[in-house]
Amino acid sequence: PAGPAEPDPGLELAAGGALRTLVLALHALGVAAVLHPAAAAARPALAAALDLETGAEPLALVAAGRPAP
């Protein structure tokens, strides 16, 4: 019997590239941003805390905002 589908091996790489582009775009707009990767061991608890759909796995958190004057 087939087990759960394995995620595409390039998925995390593509997501990382998208997040990098987001952080760079925010910087270009004058918005401060920081990317905090989610540790693999913490991902299930983080997914539950964020009430993500079953099977969804958070890879990172991005905090963004305007810097204080």
Side-chain angles (χ1 to χ4, degrees):
E6 289 294 317
D8 179 359
L11 181 64
E12 287 188 22
L13 183 61
L19 288 170
R20 179 192 63 202
T21 301
L22 172 65
V23 171
L24 289 172
L26 288 169
H27 175 74
L29 294 171
V31 177
V34 63
L35 173 74
H36 184 76
R43 290 177 185 174
L46 184 56
L50 295 172
D51 196 26
L52 299 181
E53 294 179 14
T54 302
E57 185 174 272
L59 299 178
L61 299 173
V62 177
R66 298 248 178 229

